Amino acid sequence: MTIFREEIFGPVLSITRFDTVDDAVRLANDTAYGLSNYIWSKNIDTVLTVAKRLKSGWVQANTIIDGAPQLPLTGVKGSGFGYEMGQAGFEEFTQLKTLLIQTGPRAPVFPV
């Protein structure tokens, strides 16, 4: 269905059935987008295994829209551009420049 293959923003919940974890991962990855995925499980091994296989920039387990400003957020595939939040997000808006200044007595660069 279209709702499972496009990136929809808003208060929308789409649900589909799956038989195995492999089916769930295949369904989640079968899109041109990859902003975020959510996993609900009591088994931490399942969470870790599935999270590693999901092609998205953000995976949350047993919670929704959670996190801290220090955590970078990015999408993969057709989702997102660069990073938001965290150190990586800050660096998106900066350009590095190095300035070396010698203080104290020094010889002139170009002698007169």
Side-chain angles (χ1 to χ4, degrees):
M1 291 187 298
T2 302
I3 196 167
F4 290 106
R5 300 179 62 89
E6 292 185 359
E7 199 166 60
I8 299 173
F9 293 92
V12 176
L13 174 64
S14 56
I15 300 173
T16 190
R17 293 180 185 268
F18 58 89
D19 294 320
T20 67
V21 171
D22 288 337
D23 289 340
V25 171
R26 182 184 50 76
L27 287 167
N29 289 337
D30 187 23
T31 178
Y33 302 99
L35 185 58
S36 63
N37 291 108
Y38 299 89
I39 303 169
W40 296 89
S41 177
K42 292 180 181 180
N43 186 324
I44 191 66
D45 290 328
T46 299
V47 168
L48 294 172
T49 301
V50 172
K52 184 176 181 179
R53 294 176 58 195
L54 291 171
K55 296 176 183 171
S56 65
W58 185 264
V59 177
Q60 295 188 52
N62 303 327
T63 186
I64 57 169
I65 310 175
D66 203 357
Q70 297 83 1
L71 299 174
L73 171 62
T74 187
V76 298
K77 301 191 267 185
S79 293
F81 179 76
Y83 290 90
E84 296 177 21
M85 303 187 341
Q87 183 67 31
F90 179 74
E91 289 172 359
E92 286 282 321
F93 297 98
T94 62
Q95 180 174 346
L96 296 178
K97 179 179 281 197
T98 303
L99 173 63
L100 301 173
I101 300 176
Q102 180 181 355
T103 60
R106 58 193 175 275
V109 175
F110 301 104
V112 185

